[in-house]
Amino acid sequence: MLRIDLPAPAGPAQRSLTARRTLLFALSLCVLLLCLAASLALGSRSVPLSTVFDALSGSAKPTDTGAQVVTGLRVPRTVLGLVVGAALGAAGAIAQGATRNPLASPTTLGINAGASFAVVTAVYALHLSQPVQYVWFAVAGATVAALAAHAMARQSGDLDPTKLALGGTVLAAVLTSWTSALMLFSRRTLDEARFWLVGSLDGRGLEVLTPVLPLLVLGLVLATAVSPALNALALGDEAAQALGVPVARIRATAGLSVVLLAAGAVAAAGPVAFVGLAAPHLCRRVFGNDHRLLLPGCLIGGAILLLAADVTGRLVIRPSELEVGIVTAFLGAPLLALLARRAAR
């Protein structure tokens, strides 16, 4: 794999830049730890942090209901949010880098809609009822949708970023309408799939992560492998080829990593919108455009966004709660409008 190193300042300037980046990553990890603590402690019933520590260390009393809430409900939910948020953030960073399109994400490329349509079709036809059964249907739907969006964006062998965004948006609209039609046609399908389609971390145990972990790990490995070459792709296909970058192979590998990360995340938590779009844009302001730094930054940033949205959804209408997919959609729609306006300038 070709590695493209960015020009780096020498001497004291290089040390200052390295120290600044180290500080930014340390601060990001501190914010992530705060989100993890909030996710474990806050909800319809708040639990003191001392009880959280006792529950995690195993020193809580067996009759302590607060500790039971932490270990039985909030630890699985928090781990799921951490993994899904990181996967969506990384998928968004790679999608935007590979397509050179700031609006690219698993949602705008139609990948989430493809996974959703495949899952709802499987629920309708095969009478599936457990989220763990949705995994391979979500992967298949995400793969077909990604290939269709790329096929629509091809022009004389080159990938047109504008057509990719438009094709993905049209594809998502079509698949979403077909998904709605299936649910309206079958009340049983509607009852089984509606909560999954909203995008939620509630009521899902760690067992939903077991089948998707290999997909997420492979997707992350591929994303890490192609991230240096994405710096060259940002210069344009011709410039990247002149630098010796195998553009078609890098783009195909990046596309595969996006499908694996997005499909694994959707299979575990449902189609959570806008995290994959927002995380790269927010992290780019902090860590810059170097994908070797942007990718780990988006892993942290995506997890922070999803956990913060989940905690917000638990608190705004306590003791009930809003699903995390509703919160991210409510906050992400204005962000998409802002990005589209900037892209049109």
Side-chain angles (χ1 to χ4, degrees):
M1 188 66 64
L2 180 64
R3 183 182 181 89
I4 304 296
D5 290 315
L6 296 180
Q14 171 63 36
R15 288 193 293 272
S16 174
L17 181 60
T18 302
R20 178 174 175 274
R21 288 170 173 172
T22 303
L23 178 62
L24 288 174
F25 272 107
L27 290 174
S28 300
L29 288 173
C30 290
V31 174
L32 179 58
L33 287 176
L34 288 176
C35 290
L36 290 171
S39 181
L40 292 171
L42 301 179
S44 57
R45 174 185 175 178
S46 296
V47 177
L49 283 177
S50 58
T51 303
V52 173
F53 291 136
D54 290 342
L56 295 179
S57 63
S59 58
K61 297 178 180 177
T63 56
D64 190 334
T65 55
Q68 292 173 359
V69 168
V70 171
T71 55
L73 298 176
R74 292 187 184 163
V75 167
R77 183 170 182 161
T78 301
V79 172
L80 185 62
L82 178 70
V83 173
V84 171
L88 291 175
I94 298 301
Q96 292 177 14
T99 62
R100 292 185 289 120
N101 188 328
L103 298 179
S105 75
T107 301
T108 56
L109 295 182
I111 295 175
N112 284 358
S116 301
F117 177 67
V119 167
V120 171
T121 302
V123 170
Y124 174 76
L126 303 177
H127 301 272
L128 304 184
S129 60
Q130 299 297 324
V132 72
Q133 298 174 313
Y134 303 162
V135 173
W136 298 113
F137 296 99
V139 174
T143 303
V144 172
L147 292 175
H150 277 72
M152 287 189 286
R154 286 285 174 189
Q155 185 176 31
S156 302
D158 295 328
L159 189 68
D160 187 322
T162 303
K163 286 188 176 181
L164 183 62
L166 291 174
T169 302
V170 171
L171 186 64
V174 171
L175 291 173
T176 300
S177 65
W178 290 354
T179 302
S180 300
L182 272 180
M183 290 193 297
L184 290 175
F185 188 70
S186 167
R187 184 173 182 82
R188 183 193 59 79
T189 303
L190 174 64
D191 292 339
E192 291 288 349
R194 59 181 175 175
F195 290 108
W196 182 84
L197 285 174
V198 170
S200 175
L201 303 177
D202 184 29
R204 289 169 169 80
L206 292 177
E207 66 273 9
V208 300
L209 277 180
T210 304
V212 303
L213 268 182
L215 305 179
L216 298 177
V217 171
L218 179 58
L220 183 58
V221 169
L222 294 176
T224 304
V226 301
S227 59
L230 294 183
N231 293 333
L233 278 185
L235 304 174
D237 287 4
E238 292 183 359
Q241 287 173 343
L243 291 171
V245 175
V247 172
R249 183 155 57 90
I250 292 297
R251 194 161 273 148
T253 306
L256 178 60
S257 73
V258 172
V259 168
L260 291 173
L261 290 167
V266 172
V272 179
F274 293 111
V275 173
L277 176 66
H281 286 278
L282 297 175
C283 292
R284 205 170 279 120
R285 293 177 177 273
V286 177
F287 301 107
N289 293 318
D290 186 346
H291 285 83
R292 295 169 298 181
L293 300 175
L294 185 61
L295 180 62
C298 285
L299 289 171
I300 300 172
I304 290 174
L305 286 178
L306 193 61
L307 288 172
D310 186 43
V311 173
T312 302
R314 295 184 216 171
L315 298 180
V316 289
I317 55 171
R318 231 172 17 171
S320 297
E321 66 177 66
L322 285 175
E323 305 298 337
V324 67
I326 297 175
V327 178
T328 58
F330 181 78
L331 298 177
L335 175 65
L336 178 60
L338 178 63
L339 294 175
R341 184 174 179 178
R342 287 185 176 180
R345 289 178 180 173

